[in-house]
């Protein structure tokens, strides 16, 4: 049977005290435990890292994750660690690996790091720390950015993918989330149904990458089904009787700001059509898509 780590088995007393610039001491939030290389490989592969990515490792240890991303995929990377010794190690490791021009390391607190340019964020922290970071990840990273975490998940923010790697008889979990665009709120657009221009309104309630809601079309109200927001792509469908005919619609489009542009596939009276979809949101109806950590 494989063992699994659910927390770092390190007494609090072994967490280093780090001196700040003004002589203050700052306790590490998580002890230094490096991710084993086969797990690093799985994290980078699951995140689909490429040369176009900027990979941030929050609490970067010896820099192995951003160095791996630069070496194997040609990505650029930033590592941040509270412990200056780790930063010196990371810089030396980056030079030995020949990627010093593609990566940068900073001594600092991960909670204060500006992460907005990251396209991939790597975490090997604790669930409690992930939950503290979660609102910022959802609000500050661009839709389509990926968050990959070793062993620790995000409670009710379900991962988009997960996998297991066994190293020396110990099971390691890897979780991946894709930052969803915020598609919540009231959207309207027009469609021609049986030759008549009809205004459609969809009200979307979104939690993380999932949404539910209703659509009002020509006096009919229907529940939205299978709504999913993957990065900036919004997809949902509904079925209803429209102008007396059974109809099914699939909406798929790219969200930018307060509009969605894409296609509608409709089957009305057994006839299939593909339409252009251009929807607009009332900006005052947009709501946060995350929940407080203790909401369950
Ligand atoms: C479990 S290790 C992970 C190291 C590396 N990411 C890896 O996967 O190999 C956690 C790291 O977070 C750092 N750390 C802990 N609290 C921190 C904080 N508030 N800000 C920045 N780094 C922190 C520790 O020094 C340690 O190097």
């Amino acid at each position: 049977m494989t063992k699994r780590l659910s927390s770092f088995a390190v007494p609090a007393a072994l967490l280093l005290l780090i001196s700040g610039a003004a002589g203050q001491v700052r306790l590490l939030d998580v002890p230094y435990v490096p991710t084993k290389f086969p797990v690093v490989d799985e994290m980078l592969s699951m995140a689909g890292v490429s040369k176009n990515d900027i990979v941030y490792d929050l609490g970067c240890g010896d820099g192995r994750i951003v160095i791996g991303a630069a070496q194997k995929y040609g990505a650029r990377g930033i590592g941040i660690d509270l412990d200056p010794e780790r930063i010196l190690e990371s810089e030396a490791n980056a030079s030995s690996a020949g990627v010093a021009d593609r990566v940068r390391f900073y001594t600092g607190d991960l909670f204060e790091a500006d992460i907005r340019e990251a396209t991939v964020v790597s975490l090997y922290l604790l669930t409690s720390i992930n939950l503290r970071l979660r609102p910022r990840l959802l609000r500050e990273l661009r839709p389509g950015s990926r968050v990959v975490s070793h062993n620790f998940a995000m409670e009710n923010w379900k991962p988009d993918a997960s996998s297991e790697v066994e190293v020396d008889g110990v099971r390691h979990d890897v979780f991946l989330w894709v930052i969803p665009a915020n598609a919540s709120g009231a959207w309207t657009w027009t469609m021609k149904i049986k030759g008549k221009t009809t205004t459609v309104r969809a009200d979307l309630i979104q939690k993380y990458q999932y949404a539910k809601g209703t659509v009002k079309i020509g006096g009919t109200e229907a529940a939205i089904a299978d709504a999913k927001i993957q990065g900036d792509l919004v997809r949902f469908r509904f079925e209803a009787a429209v102008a007396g005919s059974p109809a099914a619609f699939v909406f798929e489009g790219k969200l930018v700001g307060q509009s969605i542009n894409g296609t509608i596939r409709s089957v009305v009276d057994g006839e299939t059509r593909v339409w252009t979809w251009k929807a607009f949101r009332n900006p005052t109806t947009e709501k946060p898509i995350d929940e407080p950590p203790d909401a369950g």
Side-chain angles (χ1 to χ4, degrees), residues 2 8 20 76 278:
T2 54
F8 292 105
R76 283 177 293 145
K278 202 164 175 50

Side-chain angles (χ1 to χ4, degrees), residues 14-18 28 30-35 57-64 66-67 79-94 104-108:
L14 290 186
L15 292 171
L16 281 175
L17 286 171
I18 303 298
L28 290 177
V30 184
Y32 174 49
V33 180
T35 295
D57 188 12
L58 302 182
C60 64
D62 67 359
R64 59 183 62 198
V66 292
I67 292 169
I80 295 148
D81 206 290
L82 203 53
D83 187 341
E85 244 182 85
R86 298 278 96 80
I87 296 302
L88 290 176
E89 254 170 48
S90 296
E91 284 167 348
N93 291 341
R104 292 281 176 277
F105 296 97
Y106 299 103
T107 304

Side-chain angles (χ1 to χ4, degrees), residues 43-164:
M43 291 169 81
L44 297 175
S45 158
M46 263 180 95
V49 172
S50 79
K51 67 176 174 36
N52 301 321
D53 280 312
I54 304 179
V55 178
Y56 272 55
D57 188 12
L58 302 182
C60 64
D62 67 359
R64 59 183 62 198
I65 291 174
V66 292
I67 292 169
Q71 233 180 354
K72 198 164 172 191
Y73 299 101
R76 283 177 293 145
I78 304 281
I80 295 148
D81 206 290
L82 203 53
D83 187 341
E85 244 182 85
R86 298 278 96 80
I87 296 302
L88 290 176
E89 254 170 48
S90 296
E91 284 167 348
N93 291 341
S95 294
S96 315
V99 296
D101 58 330
R102 305 199 63 74
V103 298
R104 292 281 176 277
F105 296 97
Y106 299 103
T107 304
D109 186 346
L110 62 91
F111 291 111
E112 284 162 23
D114 182 347
I115 57 168
R116 286 172 298 178
E117 68 160 3
T119 58
V120 174
V121 172
S122 164
L123 309 171
Y124 183 26
L125 300 166
L126 287 167
T127 305
S128 58
I129 310 276
N130 289 358
L131 294 180
R132 278 174 70 189
L133 284 170
R134 189 173 67 179
R136 288 191 54 209
L137 297 169
L138 283 159
R139 268 167 227 155
E140 295 176 22
L141 298 178
R142 276 161 296 184
S145 304
R146 290 88 76 209
V147 177
V148 66
S149 175
H150 176 186
N151 269 350
F152 300 100
M154 300 263 191
E155 288 195 343
N156 58 358
W157 184 14
K158 300 275 174 281
D160 292 284
S162 59
S163 72
E164 292 167 18

Side-chain angles (χ1 to χ4, degrees), residues 11 40 46 58 84 92 100 102 120 123 158 201 215 237 244 248 250 253 274 285 288:
V40 173
M46 263 180 95
L58 302 182
R102 305 199 63 74
V120 174
L123 309 171
K158 300 275 174 281
R201 175 181 163 135
V215 170
R237 64 179 182 83
V250 177
V274 179
T285 60

Side-chain angles (χ1 to χ4, degrees), residues 272-286:
T272 303
R273 283 190 58 185
V274 179
W275 321 55
T276 297
W277 182 33
K278 202 164 175 50
F280 299 95
R281 170 169 53 193
N282 174 347
T284 62
T285 60
E286 188 178 330

